[in-house]
Amino acid sequence: DQPLTEEYCLYKKNGTCGACVDACVGALEMSGKPMTVEEIRQMQLDHQAAAARAVKAGFDGVEIHAVHEGYLLDQFTMEWTNHRTDEYGGSFENRCRFAMDLLDAIRAKVGNKLAIEYRISAEELIEGGAEMPETIEFAKLMVKDHKNLMVGGVLASIQPDELEKATGIRPH
């Protein structure tokens, strides 16, 4: 175990930010094992159940928090963290599959009773992390297949009118 110090912060290493949050400290030393397909399916069932509870509790919508390098949902989309060789890794489409399957599973359970926002990072600012062109394609893919999905995220490097022009998605 190494102490959590600034020298392990990805943002410091890339010179992009002086701020450091615990979530990125130590991310260079990621360990663990890839989820099995069965574990992925269970994660989808868990999200289905959570969405159903949100509907039952009277909520109008939910946010799926899939931002910041190192968090599970974001790990699937980034080349930096996704080294899978199955249907959830490799190509851009395969790396997006986890998110798409997750949304399909939620919609299958709750239909249109719940607004869903899928929150993504526009740019991770690390090598192999999300970059604007791929993020725009990811947002387009998600909205195309899930017409009533709201895609939100950190879009500090693109102006709202530029995003709408590039994707057809009107930021809110």
Side-chain angles (χ1 to χ4, degrees), residues 41-71:
R41 301 284 185 255
Q42 184 59 52
M43 175 74 66
Q44 293 165 352
L45 292 173
D46 293 344
H47 278 77
Q48 278 183 328
R53 287 191 303 272
V55 169
K56 187 175 181 179
F59 285 91
D60 295 326
V62 294
E63 176 182 275
I64 299 172
H65 190 78
V67 300
H68 312 304
E69 62 282 338
Y71 284 80

Side-chain angles (χ1 to χ4, degrees), residues 3 5 8 25 35 41 48 85 88 108 113 122-124 135 139 171:
T5 62
Y8 293 104
V25 176
M35 292 174 75
R41 301 284 185 255
Q48 278 183 328
T85 57
Y88 292 100
K113 297 176 188 169
E123 293 185 313
E124 298 285 358
T135 298

